[in-house]
Amino acid sequence: MQAIQALLQHPDIRFEPFSGSLTVDNPATGDTVAYVRTVSAEGVHQAIARAQTAQKRWASKTALERADILWQWYHAVCGHKETLARLMTMEQGKSLNESRGEIDYAASFIRWFAEQSRRSDGDVLTPLKHTQRMLVVKQAIGVTAAITPWNFPSAMITRKAAPALAAGCAMLVKPASKTPLSAYALAILAYGAGVPQDAFAVVCGHAGHIADAFAENPVVRKISFTGSTEVGREIFRNSAQHIKKLSLELGGNAPFIVFDDADLDKAAEGLIASKFRNSGQTCVCTNRVYVQAGIYQEFAQKVAEKAGSLKLGNGLETGVQQGPLIDRKALSKVEEHIADALAKGAVCLSGGKRSSLGGTFFEPTVLTEANDDMAIAREETFGPVAPLFRFDTEAEVIARANHTEFGLAAYLFTRDTARQWRVGEALEYGMVGINTGLISNEAAPFGGIKASGLGREGSRYGIEEYLEMKYLCIDIA
């Protein structure tokens, strides 16, 4: 704890209650970790004004100068990996091993965009007249804002802030109220690396008020949001007045398809990785598992055995693989989905109830005989429940997998190369994992289609979200 307190040397954070603060609790123990100052809507507007001034100075630096600062930030994050991971586990609940993995993931975006900052090249166009020259340049969009979720409290910040800073933008981050400490820790390390404080500010408080301030203030030219489709639609509506650029990474309902020619052991491992990572609390988690009829029972048994062997507990304890759900509301939704499924014919093969550990711990659950009439087929569970649906033909499973408003991530397992291409292209999703349950990395474009959002994060495309294209026509006559 001393290492964490030493890192969190920020005026907005204290370790005793104070006026105008929110409480950060450990979901595994219920203990209070720290207290964080909240900001009013007026305070957000003031921070935006300061960011506008800071952005001009930050953008005036060369791409190489910004890249060098981001590299320093990257090394600082790597050097504090263990402290950052323990802090994350304390405020979010995931296992320490998963937290360490997320810090690596978060750092990878800083490194990637430090490199990409020097590659935002324009173009020289072939002129149409002898007396003209035509150029395309790319410039920072200006002041940007991010609203990030509690399930990946570090990576979702660096995936947004690193490209913004690399492009020459300023960014204000509104982290989830349940997990603000990781955001402050990253900011403190960024300041130490040379990022101006007003160019990368953290603001905590009422989510609606801050989101409205971001949307209503004309100085903010870009908003990046990761969260529910419902809130994403609201941000979309509120931003329309000023025609802001948006990146929206919203809800999912990921299908996981296992064909009868698949490597079943590999598919079972892939499902465990995709479904039960972070206790099922990720936007790309499998939500519907479609298994071809001929291998249904065998695959169900393999998955149930693996799920049943996962160790639950406080994420700081050795060997723990599954932490608690984030809160009671999440716990209730999991129970409601299971109860609805059982009432409509599902069979619980493993788990299915709250853990004896108490609190918000829930046993990893596998349900068989799931059908499309169940709530779990239509709604994102966001918990450790794997419902197995039976299918017969390729055409049938493609139609069922696509029968949703969402289109974030999908997975399929088959040894047939032609089928890999055929089904992969037919699935209406922004990302498709083929023979793997883990698809996220800094080099790939992350994002969905349909009601799962707009834009892409990460990859060489990610920095384009923070750049404006300008055409210059020069008369040389």
Side-chain angles (χ1 to χ4, degrees):
M1 189 63 182
Q2 288 182 340
I4 289 171
Q5 291 182 355
L7 179 60
L8 294 174
Q9 294 296 310
H10 192 285
D12 286 353
I13 299 174
R14 298 183 191 172
F15 297 93
E16 65 281 335
F18 65 100
S19 177
S21 65
L22 61 85
T23 304
V24 182
D25 294 327
N26 184 331
T29 65
D31 297 337
T32 296
V33 181
Y35 302 87
V36 176
R37 187 188 308 278
T38 58
V39 65
S40 65
E42 179 57 32
V44 176
H45 288 297
Q46 292 171 1
I48 291 170
R50 293 193 298 271
Q52 185 178 28
T53 300
Q55 190 271 325
K56 301 295 185 184
R57 294 194 297 268
W58 179 248
S60 70
K61 291 182 178 293
T62 66
L64 180 58
E65 288 172 326
R66 292 195 299 271
D68 286 343
I69 290 172
L70 289 179
W71 268 108
Q72 292 301 313
W73 187 22
Y74 163 74
H75 288 300
V77 171
C78 293
H80 289 81
K81 174 179 174 178
E82 190 63 20
T83 301
L84 291 168
R86 294 184 71 83
L87 174 64
M88 186 189 302
T89 293
M90 290 171 66
E91 67 172 345
Q92 200 275 341
K94 65 178 64 178
S95 72
L96 187 56
N97 193 48
E98 284 198 43
S99 292
R100 290 177 180 128
E102 183 178 338
I103 297 304
D104 288 338
Y105 185 42
S108 73
F109 289 110
I110 303 173
R111 178 179 60 185
W112 177 268
F113 286 110
E115 297 164 347
Q116 288 297 116
S117 66
R118 302 176 63 188
R119 300 172 186 153
S120 298
D121 300 323
D123 287 294
V124 177
L125 306 181
T126 302
L128 301 180
K129 298 179 180 180
H130 293 294
T131 59
Q132 289 183 343
R133 297 295 180 268
M134 299 188 298
L135 309 174
V136 175
V137 298
K138 296 177 182 178
Q139 296 177 316
I141 196 169
V143 176
T144 67
I147 303 172
T148 60
W150 50 262
N151 57 341
F152 287 93
S154 290
M156 295 304 96
I157 289 174
T158 60
R159 197 164 73 185
K160 301 173 190 298
L165 293 169
C169 299
M171 171 163 275
L172 294 92
V173 174
K174 193 281 173 200
S177 295
K178 294 181 183 299
T179 57
L181 302 181
S182 291
Y184 280 105
L186 287 171
I188 290 167
L189 294 175
Y191 303 153
V195 177
Q197 292 192 25
D198 288 337
F200 181 37
V202 178
V203 290
C204 285
H206 188 280
H209 294 165
I210 294 176
D212 288 346
F214 288 163
E216 294 165 3
N217 194 310
V219 172
V220 176
R221 296 308 310 149
K222 158 70 186 281
I223 298 175
S224 180
F225 169 73
T226 297
S228 71
T229 297
E230 179 183 8
V231 175
R233 288 190 174 109
E234 187 69 17
I235 291 172
F236 204 146
R237 281 192 292 267
N238 293 344
S239 299
Q241 178 183 356
H242 298 297
I243 318 296
K244 297 181 189 289
K245 197 170 186 178
L246 298 174
S247 293
L248 303 174
E249 196 260 286
L250 309 177
N253 189 6
F256 187 105
I257 304 170
V258 186
F259 288 96
D260 55 13
D261 66 338
D263 180 329
L264 296 193
D265 289 325
K266 185 175 182 179
E269 289 288 351
L271 177 57
I272 294 297
S274 171
K275 173 70 260 183
F276 296 105
R277 185 164 58 107
N278 198 18
S279 299
Q281 300 174 119
T282 85
C283 54
V284 294
C285 266
T286 295
N287 206 60
R288 298 166 290 156
V289 185
Y290 293 102
V291 186
Q292 204 155 17
I295 58 167
Y296 187 90
Q297 295 298 338
E298 181 183 357
F299 185 73
Q301 288 297 327
K302 286 180 180 292
V303 173
E305 290 173 8
K306 291 180 181 297
S309 68
L310 295 172
K311 182 180 179 180
L312 276 69
N314 184 330
L316 295 177
E317 296 174 0
T318 302
V320 167
Q321 298 164 290
Q322 295 274 281
L325 295 177
I326 191 66
D327 56 24
R328 297 282 175 181
K329 183 179 179 181
L331 187 72
S332 296
K333 185 175 184 181
V334 168
E335 290 184 318
E336 289 168 7
H337 275 192
I338 291 175
D340 174 78
L342 294 177
K344 293 175 179 176
V347 176
C348 184
L349 206 57
S350 66
K353 62 183 185 299
R354 299 186 185 194
S355 168
S356 59
L357 294 171
T360 58
F361 288 96
F362 200 90
E363 295 178 351
T365 300
V366 177
L367 302 177
T368 58
E369 308 307 329
N371 63 63
D372 295 345
D373 293 329
M374 299 171 180
I376 207 166
R378 302 185 304 274
E379 302 172 15
E380 188 176 25
T381 304
F382 230 63
V385 185
L388 273 58
F389 300 76
R390 195 187 308 263
F391 77 91
D392 291 309
T393 68
E394 181 180 306
E396 171 204 346
V397 76
I398 291 172
R400 290 170 69 186
N402 287 340
H403 188 61
T404 174
E405 67 171 333
F406 300 107
L408 186 57
Y411 308 88
L412 67 102
F413 279 73
T414 176
R415 289 189 175 99
D416 186 327
T417 303
R419 176 180 278 163
Q420 291 169 7
W421 281 99
R422 192 168 58 241
V423 177
E425 293 180 350
L427 290 171
E428 297 170 355
Y429 293 84
M431 301 175 287
V432 180
I434 300 174
N435 293 331
T436 179
L438 297 174
I439 58 176
S440 302
N441 60 70
E442 72 275 19
F446 190 102
I449 61 175
K450 300 192 291 188
S452 288
L454 302 168
R456 292 296 183 270
E457 295 184 333
S459 79
R460 65 185 178 89
Y461 305 103
I463 199 168
E464 298 293 329
E465 301 283 343
Y466 295 90
L467 293 167
E468 293 280 25
M469 187 181 298
K470 178 180 288 185
Y471 157 56
L472 302 177
C473 182
I474 305 170
D475 193 317
I476 62 172

